[in-house]
Amino acid sequence: MWNLLRLKVIAGLRTAVPFAILIACGTGTSRDRRPGTLVIVTTGDADTLFPPLVMTTTGRQVTELIYDYLAEVGPELNTTSDRGFRKRLADRWEWSADSLAIAFHINRDARWHDGHAVGANDVRFTFRVYTDSILGSPTRGELAGIDSVTARDSLTAVFWFRARSPLQFFHASSEMQILPMHVFGGMSPDSLLKVSSRLAPVGSGRFHYVRWRAKESIEIDAEAGNYRGSPGIARLIWRITPSAATATSILFAGDADVYDAMRPENVVAAARTHEVRIVSSPGASYAFMGFNFREPKAKNRPHHLFSSKELRRALSMAVDRQRMVTNVFDSLALPGIGPTIRAFPVTDTLAAQIPYDPARAAQILDSLGWRLNASTGIRERAGTPLQFRLLLPQSSLNRQRMAVLLQDQLKSVGVSVLLDELEFTAAASRLAARDFDAVLWSWNLGTSPEPGLKMWTTRAASSEDGLNFGSYSSARFDRAADSATSSMNPEEMRRLYKTAYSIIGDDAPAIWLYEPRTVLGVRNRVRTSAVRIDAWWYSLADWSVR
């Protein structure tokens, strides 16, 4: 699913597959600045360019420009009906009388980048791939309400639903990037899984794949004569560097046109130059320090620290989130308010939060038997220090700075935090393996609040492809989340979401740290169009370069 920045590392095994669908190395360079080229500098590489398994932001950006959805959520982010959705591969659709089926008609001018026509069988094949248990797409759970997909004729794909739900249309139209059956249909699911990181994309979108040099660059070109019109940009290049400082230097030096993680000092620097401007909008992500409820090396046992609700709440009370957010972001972020963002209509922006109260935090820790050792400044119980390790990726400067502030604030109440800063892929692997005490991570929630709520349920903790890596489990929260995401009444839905957020907020499975704005640094030679909250890159085909 595209609503979260998901991370589950898939091991790419070396397996013989048809040469035509493997990524070619090429001899081009990411510094090719022919007319109409736009360069995006980023600190993270793609994990794969095979849509059902993409989990990184860069992978998502590239594939969403190469492949198409049947329809796309509008800028209002409505997902509970088909209101506001924009036509993509589907040029029209119709509901059955009982609302248990939707027929999508494929645009007859749509073509795959190799010239084949797009058809209903491609849609049926795509559903089969996304829901295959062996392939294990993270989107599989979001598609559980769809019983089957059939081809009424060569251009009409019909989705059949098990029951009515508020997100029927969204799940059918906007959760799956349609795949070419004639390219991938000859491979078994386990073969697709093994070579997913090396599959060359063949899409129907307004850009086609050129090359991918791991940890260096990804390039795509405009698809002339595309059924939706040729893009305003001739070539897009993602230039990959592991350092945020290097990324901004590349932007200001004129070797890149866009960087999407500008910090306050970068905004100040941009104001001093006539070459870079700032494009900002509310964001669709939140960052948190999540607790592991299970021992990393003995997952059948509760965590020796974080299985205690009172201890988790005490740690939350010891953290001044407003001061930390101001320190790291200035005015470019807000303190987190839960596993959600303020832009969603179902978010209660006034919901009660665990207060910053270090004195009360110290009292709770005392009551739990954690006594301060005056010589070390760290609390102990039965000779064991109150200490844990915090996992975070090196690629995020914001999280690195936030981790240091967390260290300092928790030390002030006698808690020792050791930082495990790892390269992004290594950190993601540890996260997926649940091999951590606590983790400093972020999720991009995209267009709908539903997956952001469901990812904290017990099902998401117990399922193999679930994203509840900390194994938080609450029957009360599960019931509230299920009710909220299945309600067909808007007012009732808002009330139920509020209840669910209240329960998880009180349980403190994480400290909700910050909700950042999207802050782009853009060279002035680039003409932009409207920037979406959930994915700023959606409109790149409508940008142009002088």
Side-chain angles (χ1 to χ4, degrees):
M1 86 188 165
W2 298 128
N3 299 303
L4 299 174
L5 190 152
R6 278 158 288 216
L7 279 169
K8 171 181 147 191
V9 174
I10 306 296
L13 305 179
R14 296 183 179 273
T15 302
V17 296
F19 177 78
I21 62 172
L22 289 179
I23 289 180
C25 293
T27 57
T29 170
S30 64
R31 298 178 69 84
D32 171 14
R33 297 301 293 271
R34 70 186 188 185
T37 296
L38 185 142
V39 178
I40 301 166
V41 64
T42 181
T43 57
D45 201 354
D47 50 345
T48 176
L49 299 181
F50 186 56
L53 297 177
V54 170
M55 302 169 199
T56 58
T57 300
T58 300
R60 180 184 168 193
Q61 290 173 357
V62 176
T63 57
E64 286 188 327
L65 295 170
I66 293 175
Y67 291 89
D68 281 320
Y69 296 104
L70 289 172
E72 184 181 287
V73 178
E76 306 86 0
L77 299 187
N78 170 62
T79 57
T80 57
S81 67
D82 62 2
R83 178 177 54 82
F85 276 76
R86 297 175 172 179
K87 300 171 183 177
R88 289 299 177 252
L89 273 179
D91 58 12
R92 63 182 184 273
W93 50 81
E94 59 188 35
W95 291 74
S96 63
D98 60 4
S99 297
L100 291 176
I102 308 174
F104 291 91
H105 185 270
I106 308 299
N107 190 313
R108 65 178 60 255
D109 295 326
R111 294 289 182 273
W112 297 110
H113 295 154
D114 60 7
H116 287 72
V118 181
N121 282 328
D122 294 311
V123 180
R124 184 173 60 177
F125 166 73
T126 299
F127 175 73
R128 192 163 69 242
V129 171
Y130 270 82
T131 56
D132 185 86
S133 59
I134 295 174
L135 193 69
S137 169
T139 309
R140 188 172 164 230
E142 304 308 308
L143 304 174
I146 302 171
D147 180 74
S148 60
V149 177
T150 60
R152 177 184 296 171
D153 54 50
S154 64
L155 291 176
T156 307
V158 183
F159 284 73
W160 303 90
F161 297 87
R162 304 180 193 281
R164 293 182 63 209
S165 74
L167 297 179
Q168 279 175 268
F169 189 85
F170 172 67
H171 287 157
S173 66
S174 305
E175 293 275 30
M176 296 180 291
Q177 291 174 298
I178 305 305
L179 306 169
M181 185 174 70
H182 71 280
V183 175
F184 302 119
M187 298 183 66
S188 63
D190 58 339
S191 295
L192 284 171
L193 178 61
K194 289 174 183 177
V195 300
S196 61
S197 63
R198 293 181 283 137
L199 290 174
V202 179
S204 59
R206 297 172 73 184
F207 290 91
H208 64 257
Y209 171 78
V210 177
R211 63 177 61 86
W212 176 14
R213 291 181 164 186
K215 299 183 180 180
E216 290 185 17
S217 64
I218 304 173
E219 302 178 32
I220 61 178
D221 273 3
E223 179 69 7
N226 183 266
Y227 74 104
R228 288 174 50 207
S230 298
I233 293 172
R235 168 167 289 196
L236 278 169
I237 299 174
W238 283 259
R239 182 174 173 181
I240 300 155
T241 177
S243 164
T246 303
T248 52
S249 296
I250 290 171
L251 174 70
F252 283 113
D255 291 330
D257 299 297
V258 179
Y259 178 51
D260 67 355
M262 298 287 277
R263 292 189 36 75
E265 61 268 26
N266 307 142
V267 173
V268 172
R272 295 174 180 153
T273 176
H274 299 294
E275 300 300 323
V276 176
R277 70 183 186 278
I278 299 300
V279 177
S280 179
S281 71
S285 63
Y286 71 92
F288 60 98
M289 186 178 87
F291 302 114
N292 195 343
F293 283 55
R294 296 287 173 181
E295 287 293 339
K297 305 301 182 184
K299 298 178 178 61
N300 60 329
R301 296 207 315 261
H303 196 278
H304 65 287
L305 295 177
F306 302 135
S307 57
S308 166
K309 175 179 175 178
E310 288 304 305
L311 186 139
R312 298 193 306 271
R313 288 178 58 85
L315 297 184
S316 298
M317 291 178 188
V319 173
D320 186 346
R321 295 174 303 123
Q322 179 63 69
R323 184 157 64 94
M324 290 196 302
V325 168
T326 301
N327 183 298
V328 174
F329 294 95
D330 192 72
S331 61
L332 303 183
L334 294 169
I337 56 175
T340 185
I341 57 172
R342 290 167 172 81
F344 291 144
V346 295
T347 298
D348 180 8
T349 59
L350 302 177
Q353 304 290 316
I354 294 176
Y356 170 57
D357 190 344
R360 177 58 181 153
Q363 291 174 357
I364 294 173
L365 295 174
D366 282 338
S367 71
L368 295 174
W370 294 102
R371 303 293 181 177
L372 193 65
N373 183 321
S375 62
T376 65
I378 302 302
R379 293 175 179 272
E380 297 179 355
R381 187 171 68 181
T384 301
L386 181 47
Q387 178 176 281
F388 65 90
R389 306 192 74 88
L390 178 61
L391 174 69
L392 69 151
Q394 294 173 335
S395 59
S396 173
L397 181 60
N398 292 331
R399 274 175 270 174
Q400 286 179 315
R401 294 185 178 183
M402 191 66 68
V404 173
L405 294 176
L406 281 166
Q407 252 186 337
D408 291 343
Q409 294 206 1
L410 291 175
K411 188 175 181 179
S412 71
V413 294
V415 181
S416 172
V417 181
L418 306 177
L419 303 184
D420 286 340
E421 297 184 52
L422 301 180
E423 184 273 330
F424 183 81
T425 303
S429 180
R430 285 269 302 275
L431 179 67
R434 292 164 164 75
D435 184 12
F436 64 92
D437 288 324
V439 62
L440 187 48
W441 211 253
S442 69
W443 293 122
N444 186 300
L445 298 180
T447 53
S448 170
E450 181 202 36
L453 200 62
K454 285 187 172 180
M455 67 167 290
W456 291 91
T457 62
T458 304
R459 285 191 301 275
S462 57
S463 63
E464 185 178 337
D465 56 355
L467 298 170
N468 185 357
F469 298 125
S471 300
Y472 165 65
S473 178
S474 163
R476 287 181 64 231
F477 175 74
D478 291 347
R479 288 193 297 270
D482 286 344
S483 298
T485 55
S486 61
S487 174
M488 301 292 290
N489 180 287
E491 289 301 319
E492 180 187 50
M493 181 185 295
R494 280 191 284 273
R495 178 180 61 79
L496 292 169
Y497 265 96
K498 181 177 180 179
T499 299
Y501 290 138
S502 175
I503 292 170
I504 196 171
D506 183 67
D507 284 343
I511 299 176
W512 318 110
L513 293 173
Y514 58 89
E515 180 185 330
R517 292 181 64 82
T518 296
V519 185
L520 307 178
V522 183
R523 300 289 299 182
N524 282 335
R525 78 188 195 102
V526 179
R527 291 191 179 96
T528 62
S529 59
V531 174
R532 285 179 51 138
I533 291 174
D534 55 329
W536 65 265
W537 56 89
Y538 270 17
S539 62
L540 271 170
D542 298 321
W543 293 21
S544 61
V545 180
R546 285 198 299 269

